Amino acid sequence: MNAVTSARPVSDVAHATCLGIADLSARARAGAKGPGTAAWLAGLGLPLPARPNSWLALPEGGLIARLGNTEYLIEGNAALVESVLRAPRAAGVYPVLRQDAAFALCGSRVNELLLQVCNVDFRCLAADPALVLLTSMAGVGVTVLRSGDIANPVFRLWCDGTYGHYLATTLLEIAGELGGGGIAPDLLP
Amino acid sequence: MPWRLLRFATAKQHPEPRMFTAHAELKKSYDVVIIGGGGHGLSAAYYLGRDHGITNVAVLEKGYIGGGNTGRNTTIIRSNYLTPEGVKFYDESVRLWQDLSTEFDLNLFYANRGHFTLAHTDSALRTMRWRAEVNKHYGVDSEVVGPDFVKQAAPMIDLSCGGHAPILGALYHAPGSVARHDAVAWGYGKGADLRGAEIHQQTEVLGIVVKGGKVCGVQTSRGFIETNKVLCAVAGFTPRILEMVDIKTPLYIHPLQAMVSEPIKPWLDPILVSGSLHIYISQSARGELVMGASLDPYEVQSTRSTLDFVEGLSAHMLDMFPFLSHVKVMRQWAGMADMTPDFAPIMGKTPVEGFYLDAGWGTWGFKATPVCGKTMAHTVATDTPHPLIHGFSLDRFRNYALTGEKGAASVGH
Amino acid sequence: MKIMTCPINGPRPVSEFFYWGEMRPMPDPDTCSDDAWADYVFNRNGAPGVKKEWWCHTASNTWFVAVRDTEKDQVLRTYLYGEQP
Ligand SMILES: Cc1cc2nc3c(=O)[nH]c(=O)nc-3n(C[C@H](O)[C@H](O)[C@H](O)COP(=O)(O)OP(=O)(O)OC[C@H]3O[C@@H](n4cnc5c(N)ncnc54)[C@H](O)[C@@H]3O)c2cc1C
């Protein structure tokens, strides 16, 4: 997946502290599901989140998220993702094509934006930082988790790629009203 | 208190009589018992008397007349349906509507406005071409028009719908109309009463006695009555009545909601419906905007209404008419829609002799009130289905011979 | 806003869910009569009651069973198919 936002993100530090939205759609990603998936991924040397709807940071960068009972999303390190994509599949493992649009939101006013577009109050992630939430944001099905520390949270967001443009436009419009905007990924805390 | 009012209050004889007689007692038996004092039941009672001379008739209504979907609907009348069966049937209804005010000596506020079904996609436009052809074939005024024509009829419209659902054209149906719903129930009730039928409000049917496959009586909250013919016209309550006679049907009940705005100056003449945005709107004679949307997404057998509905409908309405953003919503409500899988009604005889069914009217049965009464009266009086309702029999499901009306009826109105 | 509890994702607004009707046993299409098959395909129990229904949490594509009073619109229980209610 290519980046979905057309305007080049300005390297605007002010946005990043107030409310910044980075487009991470172009990151490498792999998905798999099915009853054999946990064992298969473990065999590939990946650590596995113990609970459904939780995630772990990977030692080589990136993350692995468990979506529901038997579905996993791996994102980050291109070489690692490539090795998962190429590994011969075992019984009960079905590939999931990940054509997500993906974003990261940060800044002091990020909650004000989130409260306008989603029913879930993401402050609950402060109590359980390993939680992955699958919900609906501005009418679009999204997967959300929080990385970064509590003082400077970064909310990661994935949605179906075909909704990416709409969701990005919607979020950027609100971010603009709150004094934020698009940022380059390297400005994320 | 003004003197004139006091005189009315104390007088025994009122110059304006009640619309119909209140009967203290139920008779021991009736030739026909009609369950449901909505438009359909009252209209059937009326035509039984007028066309068939059958006047020993009781209409049993558990609440008050017109308190069901008849008094909850958004009163759109049209005949631009998709199937030949539907078009012929609804066209006859539109014809009957024309004379009703005169016939009842009661103003139904029947207002011919013109009806647009907006197309936002190529496939919607294709269905409209198809509908227009079927309509014209049966002599119904219906044509596909371009966005300019829509703009002329409703100058306040944003043809781009906020940019994400631009209007490509519309199916225009000049005869499309609205009418005063309560008055329709009252008019038919008054007419039936004049011809001898009895209307019993606050009378609930609790059971139906069937012996040897034939109807022989009805148990009500006010006692038992004998009868060999029962017509069931209870819309969203139909499955409960059918349990009493052990008849299975595909009927399922979802709420259909609607809302009105505060009254504003007249600015919208025609009736507008959008299949893609799932909304419709007209402006009443009082200036209120009458607005509706699609069915609620899941089964509920009650008339609760929801905030989700108001939010969803308002959001889409603003796509079409952004200038309404400051107009206040005044009321919202719901009715129970008795839905069928093919969006056509279920009418006629049933496996139980003497039990006749007028149901499956879902979100679209107000316009059919006159023709339903007329054809059901014929069916009950002669024990043979009226030719206009052949396509609507309950048998069609068992025979896999559905009457697919979805393309013309999916946005409820 | 009505709340439905997904067995995996927890309580969520009902707008995140999709309703797929009452759970009904399918007759064996090879052995049942045409009438029994048509009954299965078309007929529904439209009367109010406490029903077992299929629901799906669309944001996570989780299918599950809800036991619901369809007159009061009250969800009594939700559980994953195959799990004991
Ligand atoms: C919000 C909404 C909008 C709609 N908009 C339109 C529209 O624009 N155009 C259109 O053509 N149609 C529309 N409809 C559909 C239309 O309202 C109905 O199809 C039609 O009114 C049905 O009339 P009826 O007489 O059969 O039923 P009802 O008017 O519902 O009458 C049935 C009566 O039966 C009574 N009853 C039930 N059970 C018993 C019992 N056991 N004993 C005694 N009495 C009983 C009820 O109290 C009720 O009064 C709409 C419906 C709704 C809910």
Side-chain angles (χ1 to χ4, degrees), chain B residues 68-69 72 253-258 300 302-304 333-337:
Chain B
N69 288 357
R72 297 165 190 270
I253 312 295
H254 286 215
L256 178 68
Q257 304 192 48
V300 176
S302 77
T303 51
R304 63 105 179 93
W333 66 90
M336 285 182 281

Side-chain angles (χ1 to χ4, degrees), chain B residues 34-52 54 57 59 65-66 70 89 93 96-97 100 103-104 183-193 195 197 199 231 233 347 358 365-378 380:
Chain B
I34 297 173
I35 315 177
H40 287 215
L42 294 165
S43 155
Y46 175 85
Y47 291 107
L48 274 173
R50 197 198 77 172
D51 297 354
H52 305 278
I54 300 178
V57 174
V59 180
I65 70 166
T70 299
F89 185 77
S93 207
L96 289 170
W97 277 105
L100 278 189
E103 218 174 303
F104 296 161
V184 174
W186 300 334
Y188 274 120
K190 179 176 148 193
D193 178 75
R195 286 168 177 80
I199 298 166
L231 168 60
M347 296 178 77
D358 171 32
F366 175 69
K367 64 183 72 61
T369 305
V371 73
C372 283
K374 196 165 174 183
T375 54
M376 285 315 295
H378 172 101
V380 172

Side-chain angles (χ1 to χ4, degrees), chain C residues 44-82:
Chain C
R44 296 290 179 272
N45 164 22
V50 173
K51 301 182 185 180
K52 276 189 196 170
E53 304 168 324
W54 283 115
W55 285 77
C56 176
H57 179 241
T58 48
S60 64
N61 204 18
T62 309
W63 284 91
F64 62 95
V65 181
V67 183
R68 192 172 63 95
D69 181 326
T70 64
E71 188 169 20
K72 302 197 182 84
D73 192 14
Q74 249 170 29
V75 183
L76 305 176
R77 275 195 307 280
T78 55
Y79 57 91
L80 292 176
Y81 181 71

Side-chain angles (χ1 to χ4, degrees), chain B residues 32 44 55-56 65 130 201 240 253 261 275 278 319 321 349 356 366 370 388 404:
Chain B
V32 178
T55 57
N56 184 23
I65 70 166
W130 174 12
Q201 303 188 93
R240 303 182 215 199
I253 312 295
S261 74
H278 295 288
D319 283 343
F321 295 110
K349 299 175 68 169
Y356 305 89
F366 175 69
L388 275 177

Side-chain angles (χ1 to χ4, degrees), chain B residues 132-392:
Chain B
E133 289 314 312
V134 176
N135 293 166
K136 284 187 222 166
H137 183 75
Y138 290 100
V140 170
D141 190 349
S142 179
E143 58 182 317
V144 174
V145 298
D148 296 350
F149 192 92
V150 177
K151 185 78 181 170
Q152 221 164 34
M156 306 304 280
I157 201 166
D158 173 3
L159 283 177
S160 78
C161 288
H164 47 83
I167 293 165
L168 307 179
L171 183 66
Y172 176 56
H173 177 50
S177 301
V178 288
R180 172 109 197 264
H181 44 22
D182 310 300
V184 174
W186 300 334
Y188 274 120
K190 179 176 148 193
D193 178 75
L194 276 176
R195 286 168 177 80
E198 294 181 5
I199 298 166
H200 291 275
Q201 303 188 93
Q202 306 283 333
T203 309
E204 182 170 2
V205 170
L206 303 172
I208 297 168
V209 181
V210 179
K211 283 207 183 105
K214 292 184 192 170
V215 167
C216 54
V218 173
Q219 188 62 49
T220 80
S221 55
R222 291 168 61 211
F224 180 75
I225 41 186
E226 286 168 19
T227 185
N228 292 318
K229 290 188 173 184
V230 168
L231 168 60
C232 174
V234 296
F237 293 92
T238 309
R240 303 182 215 199
I241 300 287
L242 292 181
E243 279 195 333
M244 301 174 188
V245 284
D246 205 13
I247 293 175
K248 286 194 182 173
T249 68
L251 291 172
Y252 59 97
I253 312 295
H254 286 215
L256 178 68
Q257 304 192 48
M259 67 186 196
V260 294
S261 74
E262 59 185 332
I264 53 179
K265 279 186 188 169
W267 61 273
L268 180 68
D269 193 42
I271 304 154
L272 296 179
V273 181
S274 162
S276 298
L277 301 176
H278 295 288
I279 53 169
Y280 62 93
I281 181 170
S282 71
Q283 189 170 23
S284 77
R286 285 191 293 218
E288 298 162 340
L289 300 175
V290 182
M291 296 172 276
S294 305
L295 274 183
D296 272 21
Y298 61 94
E299 177 181 60
V300 176
Q301 286 94 352
S302 77
T303 51
R304 63 105 179 93
S305 48
T306 64
L307 181 62
D308 288 9
F309 166 79
V310 179
E311 283 182 343
L313 172 52
S314 304
H316 282 142
M317 200 53 82
L318 292 182
D319 283 343
M320 213 150 85
F321 295 110
F323 83 101
L324 290 180
S325 61
H326 292 289
V327 174
K328 293 183 181 62
V329 173
M330 206 164 60
R331 293 191 299 279
Q332 70 171 123
W333 66 90
M336 285 182 281
D338 42 334
M339 302 299 295
T340 61
D342 56 1
F343 288 70
I346 301 177
M347 296 178 77
K349 299 175 68 169
T350 67
V352 175
E353 207 180 313
F355 185 82
Y356 305 89
L357 190 58
D358 171 32
W361 280 109
T363 64
W364 56 85
F366 175 69
K367 64 183 72 61
T369 305
V371 73
C372 283
K374 196 165 174 183
T375 54
M376 285 315 295
H378 172 101
T379 306
V380 172
T382 61
D383 196 38
T384 19
H386 190 283
L388 275 177
I389 66 171
H390 278 154
F392 306 143

